[in-house]
Amino acid sequence: LFSVVMSIVLYASARLRYSIPSPYLASPGSSGIWVYDFFMGHELNPRLGKLDLKQFCELRPGLIGWAVINASCALKEYRETGHVSNSMWLVNIFQLIYVVDALWFERAILTTMDITTDGFGFMLVFGDLAWVPFTYSLQARYLVAFKAGKDLPLPVVIWIVFVKAVGMAIFRGANGQKNKFRTNPNDPAVKHLKTLPTERGTQLLISGWWGIARHVNYFGDWVMAWSWCLPCGFDHIIPYFYAIYFAGLLIHREMRDEHACKIKYGKDWDKYCKKVPYHIVPFIY
């Protein structure tokens, strides 16, 4: 309800203060179709004084709320059984690492599509404030409801930790490399990487993590998603909703990225795609 009210206020405020075209309006949310613009977000970076509402809501309330709900589920399991299962520990620790990582590297979101391109409308408002904390905590809620106090065998725990480590290495390695290259191409950590010069005067990475796939960070993110679901076992598909939904989300986002980059770089993007042929998953897609 709060997300709906906030989205209405943001849309009405933007319509009253700005007219198309305006540098303060988001291109995707300036179609002239009010329902679509309301959903996508009409204003690019609405502010409350000096507070950038989109940047604040992108990480802080939803991610912290998600971690709090997870911790509450672990506490409920302890109160009911006198024991916190290793599966609950895995879910809490893995997802807390993800939350802390996002908050620690918060500056990196400034180069993401959510910040640079999308407006702050119902899609992001609801996603940040409601969808993230109450959907992403599904595994912890499932465990406390159906598997409270039940531990996983040690070999299974080791395997799940391995999956998490692989996903985290890809995700953080790719994002860190991209961020360093964008902020300082002469940094020793990225200076050696091969690039493709563009007519815009910029360069596209064609080696390192970004020579493996054009959105290899999405692949790492998806691998981590599986490590969050696996502690729940295979008794029901519900805990795997996140991994399934997230695959669709990442493919949709990748398609939007590809479309935007095609417009931005033109023929140079076609050259880049030939050098880096895979979208997300190396050798598969």
Side-chain angles (χ1 to χ4, degrees), residues 2-42:
F2 178 83
S3 298
V4 173
V5 172
M6 184 175 180
S7 300
I8 292 172
V9 171
L10 289 171
Y11 178 73
S13 173
R15 286 297 301 269
L16 290 172
R17 289 183 294 128
Y18 306 115
S19 58
I20 302 173
S22 170
Y24 298 103
L25 298 180
S27 177
S30 300
S31 67
I33 304 172
W34 75 267
V35 175
Y36 183 78
D37 294 346
F38 168 79
F39 180 79
M40 294 300 296
H42 197 45

Side-chain angles (χ1 to χ4, degrees), residues 57 97 131 134 230 245 274:
C57 291
I97 289 172
W131 183 263
F134 294 106
L230 289 171
Y245 141 80
K274 290 180 180 179

